[in-house]
Amino acid sequence: MLWSLLKILVLVAIVALLALGAGYLMDTQGGVQITIAGTEYTLGPLQSVLALIVLVCLVWLFFKLLTLLIATLKFLNGDETAMSRYFDRGRERRGYQALADSVMALASGEGSLAMAKANKAEKLLQKPELTNLLVAQAAELNGDTKRAAETYKKLVTNNATRFVGVRGIMKQKLADGDEETARKLAEKALELKPKHGETQDVLLTLQTKAQDWAGARSTLTAKLKSGALPRDVYKRRDAVLALSEAKELLDEEGTIDQQERAIEANRLSPDLIPAAAMAARAHIAKGKPRNATKILKKAWEVRPHPDLAHAFAEIEPDETPANRVRRFSALSRLHPNDPETRLVMAELNIVAEDFPEARRALGDLVEMEDADARVFTLMAAIERGEGASDAVVQGWLAKALTAPRGPQWVCDNCHDIQSEWAPICANCGSFDTLTWTAPTKQEVATATGAQMLPLILGALEDKSDEVEDTPEEISDEATILDGEVQPSDTPEAEPRPAT
Ligand SMILES: [Zn+2]
């Protein structure tokens, strides 16, 4: 209301000003003198202003005619759309406007509006390479997968938009769970754009899932070449893939090829534990125990691990337990205080029936806060070997039952625990995410949250001291209050030392 009033006021003001200006010009003396072909024309002030306006109009008309003339010439030279383009300027402008509106609608998540605008742009512009992409995106946003698929197929037929089309169909197949077709499409897309990082990742994931290790290795190399992967990461992953190839071959039969792959994997990444163990076994099979020892020592130096110890034992399968203890000192010297080294040495000494030495090897591992089930089990074996009573041995075993399991292969991605190393997590399908570490969740579940261990240990203690303890004292030692066990003896209560 106020706005229209303002507009009227402005209009009135302009008319008043024009009238004032014209009156002023008419009153003014003098004018413009123009000489054309010898004749002199004298224009009054008002006339000269009018003449100027006419001149501007003529120039505008001249340029209009000039562009029409150029369009006609182009048309005559064979450019068939030149004329229609000349007359369709407005149409084109509206087309681009619709295109812009469609992009905006897409960005703001308005699927149906984006679709309507894309359709309009398609009609006005007749540029399918531009509008098809929008139509496909809008269809995806609307959940109209059929229309999207049709449009992607159209994009595939055009050279300029082929990659976009292939990628679009690939994503649809991935969403449908058709990984086989998606993998082929990803390969196709990568042929069109070898440096496309996202497609490289998709293809790599699909290839590892499909256990196409050779294909995955070539994709990994392509990734390195396009600069998307640091060299050390590349080396590690390439080693994992080479090892996977070797593992695959092992399933069939331990061939020479498999041995070579394992040795190659170990060469690429000497600290990859499964590769070192496998390469060592390959060398043992080839009758080269010295090479096996060298590889295992190198890997042990990086990280002591039970798999390495197993492979190390296999180098001399028939040696006496005492000789084995002696031979293992080559490993134990490298990390004498590492828990894994101490566990292995304790185990070997138990087998060799040198129990005091086994106890010495374990040392203070038993008192550690994170002592795991292996430590307590070995302690039980030592006590048994040294002739301790059943109650003492059972005490250690009971502790082992509720102790953490110790390090295992844990997926960095989903924290799933796996019994054996594999290139792909069996739970979430991620590649190279298994790490040898102590899992975070290790508590044994109980119905009431009560800790059973103190009860068991308490009962065992009582059993061994039955003569001294009266029933009343037993009930004092472990009472359950509100589901919590309140033992007088903590789990740390040492089982009797051996005599
Ligand atoms: Zn996982």
Side-chain angles (χ1 to χ4, degrees), residues 69-329:
L69 188 69
I70 291 168
T72 317
L73 282 175
K74 275 189 181 168
F75 178 68
L76 291 177
N77 274 329
D79 186 353
E80 282 168 23
T81 57
M83 289 302 276
S84 58
R85 275 216 314 271
Y86 175 78
F87 289 111
D88 282 355
R89 278 278 159 79
R91 193 187 165 91
E92 202 175 66
R93 205 169 19 247
R94 275 182 291 138
Y96 278 118
Q97 187 55 52
L99 194 76
D101 289 347
S102 176
V103 172
M104 286 311 287
L106 259 187
S108 45
E110 295 165 290
S112 43
L113 181 65
M115 182 61 115
K117 290 286 179 188
N119 281 334
K120 191 178 167 192
E122 191 175 19
K123 228 176 276 160
L124 290 169
L125 287 175
Q126 301 290 332
K127 281 188 180 163
E129 69 274 16
L130 271 182
T131 45
N132 273 345
L133 183 60
L134 278 179
V135 170
Q137 301 260 305
E140 289 259 5
L141 197 60
N142 276 343
D144 184 356
T145 46
K146 208 169 149 229
R147 175 90 197 263
E150 278 168 15
T151 322
Y152 283 135
K153 275 180 196 148
K154 280 188 209 158
L155 287 168
V156 171
T157 55
N158 188 327
N159 255 339
T161 56
R162 181 163 297 144
F163 177 80
V164 179
V166 172
R167 181 170 169 268
I169 301 173
M170 177 191 84
K171 293 219 149 174
Q172 284 198 322
K173 293 288 172 195
L174 267 183
D176 292 348
D178 182 358
E179 293 187 344
E180 185 64 32
T181 317
R183 184 155 62 96
K184 284 185 186 132
L185 286 165
E187 277 166 11
K188 188 106 208 136
L190 217 56
E191 269 172 36
L192 296 168
K193 268 194 189 199
K195 289 190 172 180
H196 196 262
E198 187 217 53
T199 311
Q200 285 172 343
D201 290 342
V202 170
L203 182 59
L204 198 60
T205 312
L206 291 173
Q207 280 169 328
T208 48
K209 264 191 190 170
Q211 312 209 333
D212 172 12
W213 307 120
R217 286 186 81 179
S218 73
T219 310
L220 200 70
T221 313
K223 232 172 124 61
L224 177 78
K225 278 185 188 157
S226 62
L229 203 66
R231 186 161 280 277
D232 52 335
V233 178
Y234 164 77
K235 272 188 142 180
R236 155 88 192 191
R237 301 233 166 118
D238 198 34
V240 171
L241 289 171
L243 179 65
S244 313
E245 272 184 293
K247 266 175 95 88
E248 190 112 306
L249 290 166
L250 184 68
D251 291 344
E252 290 157 21
E253 177 181 331
T255 57
I256 302 294
D257 201 19
Q258 177 253 323
Q259 293 171 357
E260 292 307 323
R261 292 278 156 73
I263 291 165
E264 188 200 354
N266 175 246
R267 187 179 50 76
L268 289 168
S269 184
D271 58 341
L272 184 60
I273 289 159
M278 204 180 218
R281 290 196 174 103
H283 281 302
I284 295 167
K286 285 170 145 191
K288 291 180 180 168
R290 276 164 165 273
N291 288 3
T293 308
K294 213 169 99 189
I295 285 173
L296 292 172
K297 274 171 78 176
K298 202 167 174 185
W300 192 272
E301 208 167 353
V302 179
R303 175 103 214 229
H305 190 278
D307 285 356
L308 299 174
H310 283 167
F312 197 76
E314 284 170 30
I315 295 174
E316 295 284 347
D318 300 322
E319 68 194 330
T320 62
N323 282 345
R324 184 159 285 179
V325 171
R326 219 164 298 134
R327 198 166 57 84
F328 261 78
S329 65

Side-chain angles (χ1 to χ4, degrees), residues 410-416 418 424-430 433-434:
V410 181
C411 174
D412 293 337
N413 189 38
C414 66
H415 305 292
D416 192 56
Q418 322 233 322
I424 302 166
C425 169
N427 187 47
C428 70
S430 319
T433 51
L434 294 190

